[in-house]
Amino acid sequence: MKRMLFVYNPHAGKGLLKQKLSEIVDIFVKAGYEVVIYPTQAYRDAYRKITEMTEDYDLVVCSGGDGTIDEVVTGMMEREHKIPVGYIPTGTTNDFANSLKIPKDFLAAADNAVHGSAFPCDIGQFNDDVFVYIAAFGLFTDVSYETKQEIKNVLGHLAYVLEGAKRLFNVPSYKIRITHDDEVIEDEFIYGMVTNSRSVGGFRNMIGKNVKFDDGVFEVTLIRRPKNPIELQEIIAALLIEQVDTKHMYSFKAKKITFESLEEIPWTLDGEYGGSHDMVEIMNQNKAMELMVPSKYVDELSEDEK
């Protein structure tokens, strides 16, 4: 019999997964799995569980928000023998799951975890750390870990926008030297993100077109510091219509990118605090992890589109 470890965060979203737990496990068992269930007990507990795993499993399925999938993938990347990961998203925005076409419905996502296709997905290396779909600094980036869970539950995506809007008139900026491929950019930025996703914080079009999840490159978006209120208004307008404004933003693809600054800049990795750094090296680990996705969308997600 195949064996599965099912790790879930009982507090993610509104805790709604608990109501469907027996039906979800039933789907797993009917697919031929012996299931070991582990509800996470604390922050970083999913990471610990994966890194300390001694038994043999054929599949790991996790359920929670971006933090849970980040912990599971980070733990798996440290293991010599990597096991495919299925994901049942129960967080607030679930950007990465939406990008990979993983169903929003819990039972449909559970079915995908056992009957979908194992898709070799790019993973981000951030200095000595790992991220699944976004590394970012500046405006908005501390919102997801400073916004109270209760507010997230009630307001959903709007919570991020409201919390971020409070900061627009007191925006910190960072002077950064950025190196990618053979290009060097030196400028002052209020925001930057390195992504492998088709939407971030619910925004779909800021990232660049034709995003593939196994092409070995990340999409990079950088917003320059506005020099006056008019430029600030132009940036806000671009954000509202989700378009890159080339006067104020850089947008490109890169496999490797370094950020050097005089001061330490706080970063967020998949919505969790990733530490403050004055030197960051980000590398794309091409096709480093297998994630379960709906079989009918594999071609659409892949560089090797048929």
Side-chain angles (χ1 to χ4, degrees):
M1 201 174 194
K2 296 177 290 184
R3 300 191 75 234
M4 174 201 295
L5 175 64
F6 178 40
V7 178
Y8 75 97
N9 177 355
H11 305 295
K14 299 183 179 73
L16 291 173
L17 186 87
K18 293 177 191 173
Q19 301 168 22
K20 300 281 188 181
L21 202 53
S22 63
E23 292 174 85
I24 288 168
V25 173
D26 189 55
I27 289 169
F28 296 160
V29 172
K30 281 185 167 67
Y33 286 92
E34 179 188 346
V35 185
V36 175
I37 303 173
Y38 185 80
T40 57
Q41 304 297 302
Y43 174 67
R44 299 290 281 175
D45 198 26
Y47 166 78
R48 181 197 62 77
K49 185 68 178 172
I50 299 301
T51 54
E52 295 177 3
M53 205 163 56
T54 54
E55 300 172 69
D56 288 332
Y57 293 101
D58 301 282
L59 180 67
V60 170
V61 178
C62 65
S63 183
D66 289 342
T68 305
I69 183 76
D70 177 83
E71 287 187 32
V72 168
V73 169
T74 301
M76 194 65 76
M77 287 292 289
E78 292 185 15
R79 296 183 65 85
E80 192 173 342
H81 176 56
K82 295 175 180 58
I83 303 161
V85 172
Y87 182 35
I88 302 173
T90 58
T92 312
T93 51
N94 301 315
D95 286 309
F96 190 59
N98 293 341
S99 295
L100 289 178
K101 307 288 189 181
I102 293 170
K104 292 180 175 67
D105 178 79
F106 295 161
L107 301 185
D111 186 74
N112 170 69
V114 289
H115 293 124
S117 295
F119 177 74
C121 193
D122 295 347
I123 300 295
Q125 184 78 38
F126 178 96
N127 290 348
D128 295 327
D129 210 336
V130 167
F131 65 95
V132 179
Y133 80 97
I134 180 170
F137 68 85
L139 183 67
F140 300 123
T141 53
D142 58 348
V143 170
S144 56
Y145 49 82
E146 282 191 1
T147 306
K148 290 185 173 61
Q149 186 64 47
E150 304 81 66
I151 299 175
K152 286 189 200 176
N153 291 346
V154 174
L155 296 175
H157 171 53
L158 189 61
Y160 294 87
V161 178
L162 290 175
E163 194 68 29
K166 292 179 191 172
R167 302 144 198 271
L168 277 176
F169 300 101
N170 184 25
V171 180
S173 61
Y174 307 99
K175 196 164 178 53
I176 309 175
R177 176 186 169 93
I178 296 165
T179 309
H180 73 96
D181 303 313
D182 295 323
E183 185 180 358
V184 177
I185 300 167
E186 289 194 63
D187 214 324
E188 211 165 329
F189 298 98
I190 59 170
Y191 179 75
M193 63 181 176
V194 180
T195 61
N196 192 34
S197 179
R198 288 178 181 168
S199 75
V200 171
F203 291 105
R204 292 192 60 79
N205 298 318
M206 290 298 298
I207 296 133
K209 303 289 186 281
N210 202 28
V211 174
K212 303 297 182 183
F213 297 89
D214 62 353
D215 60 0
V217 292
F218 289 126
E219 285 66 38
V220 183
T221 307
L222 305 163
I223 302 178
R224 297 167 59 197
R225 181 179 74 86
K227 294 181 175 60
N228 54 56
I230 292 172
E231 288 193 358
L232 177 61
Q233 287 302 319
E234 287 173 348
I235 289 168
I236 293 169
L239 290 171
L240 288 172
I241 61 168
E242 300 183 27
Q243 296 296 333
V244 171
D245 182 335
T246 52
K247 277 191 301 181
H248 306 300
M249 303 177 190
Y250 295 88
S251 181
F252 55 88
K253 294 176 185 275
K255 176 179 175 54
K256 178 182 175 183
I257 179 168
T258 58
F259 296 80
E260 299 168 84
S261 53
L262 291 174
E263 61 187 310
E264 290 195 336
I265 298 172
W267 284 75
T268 176
L269 306 179
D270 299 326
E272 302 291 328
Y273 180 55
S276 293
H277 310 271
D278 56 14
M279 173 73 184
V280 166
E281 183 174 280
I282 293 175
M283 284 280 296
N284 184 298
Q285 304 281 12
N286 187 217
K287 300 182 180 179
M289 273 282 310
E290 287 189 323
L291 297 171
M292 302 302 293
V293 303
S295 301
K296 65 181 177 181
Y297 293 120
V298 167
D299 289 350
E300 185 187 324
L301 301 172
S302 174
E303 181 186 29
D304 305 319
E305 192 171 350
K306 303 288 188 292

